[in-house]
Amino acid sequence: MAKSGTTTQGLRTAIERSGYYPALVAEAVEAAVGGEPISSYLVHQETTFDSNEVRRHVTVLVLTGNRFIVSHTDEQAADAGSPSPYATTSTESVKLASISSVVLSRVVANPESYTPGTLPREVVLTIGWGAVSRIDLEPAACGDANCDADHGYTGNSTADDLSLRVSEAGDGPEAVRQTLVFAQALSEATAATSTPAR
């Protein structure tokens, strides 16, 4: 389930519609946003299966004129450290100028007959701002199949601070559409704040 829009009241309504601890989530998000006007937002609730447990969590993305705000709330079952179930909410505020990448991956069925404007089957929105980087290493090799020399390692470093997957089958077509709208707004906002090369 994903909801998007551009107003504070619309954001609160979307959080309430998600039905996932709305008072807790709204308070955390509104405190992070403060008095700034909202340019765009996306509320995405997801249910995951972890062994024998069903876990729900919600991610709220908010775009203001200067910042990108991420709020994530998870619920946890009672455990040895807590006799009752509990939820954890975190918010992070990122300056738009700090966002280094906005990647939107689209999965479309029957690409040979794709018509512009058709909704993708699923989208994955990945946003990087340098808080988390993933390094994938593998042994380096040369072109000689008989070479047994040590060529060290080669790899890639990827900014992967947030990745959000929304599918038509799991979340509905409106959720996919709203994710596309938010991704475009965020991409345009980061382009507007980037400094020209000298």
Side-chain angles (χ1 to χ4, degrees):
M1 172 191 315
K3 303 284 182 202
S4 69
T6 59
T7 67
T8 303
Q9 184 56 46
L11 173 58
R12 180 173 270 282
T13 300
I15 290 170
E16 288 171 358
R17 277 193 196 136
S18 79
Y20 185 82
Y21 306 120
L24 174 65
V25 173
E27 181 180 54
V29 171
E30 289 169 3
V33 171
E36 283 190 75
I38 294 171
S39 303
S40 187
Y41 63 82
L42 180 67
V43 177
H44 182 254
Q45 182 185 334
E46 188 173 9
T47 302
T48 56
F49 300 93
D50 183 16
S51 297
N52 295 334
E53 295 181 16
V54 176
R55 294 183 189 236
R56 298 180 306 153
H57 54 98
V58 68
T59 303
V60 180
L61 309 180
V62 179
L63 178 61
T64 72
N66 302 307
R67 298 182 298 146
F68 167 64
I69 297 162
V70 181
S71 176
H72 189 80
T73 304
D74 280 304
E75 64 183 358
Q76 304 292 328
D79 57 24
S82 176
S84 60
Y86 61 97
T88 304
T89 300
S90 63
T91 57
E92 183 172 0
S93 176
V94 181
K95 292 180 185 176
L96 286 177
S98 298
I99 295 178
S100 56
S101 66
V102 178
V103 180
L104 184 67
S105 300
R106 302 168 188 241
V107 177
V108 298
N110 305 311
E112 69 282 354
S113 59
Y114 176 77
T115 303
T118 303
L119 279 179
R121 185 172 67 195
E122 73 177 54
V123 293
V124 179
L125 175 60
T126 305
I127 304 163
W129 58 90
V132 178
S133 291
R134 183 179 71 240
I135 298 177
D136 296 319
L137 293 176
E138 61 184 37
C142 65
D144 182 357
N146 297 319
C147 179
D148 61 357
D150 183 354
H151 294 286
Y153 289 87
T154 185
N156 296 310
S157 175
T158 308
D160 192 11
D161 295 298
L162 173 76
S163 190
L164 194 67
R165 178 183 173 269
V166 180
S167 71
E168 186 177 25
D171 303 293
E174 188 57 28
V176 173
R177 185 176 291 106
Q178 291 165 350
T179 304
L180 292 171
V181 168
F182 182 83
Q184 182 174 347
L186 180 60
S187 186
E188 289 172 356
T190 57
T193 61
S194 62
T195 55
R198 296 179 190 205

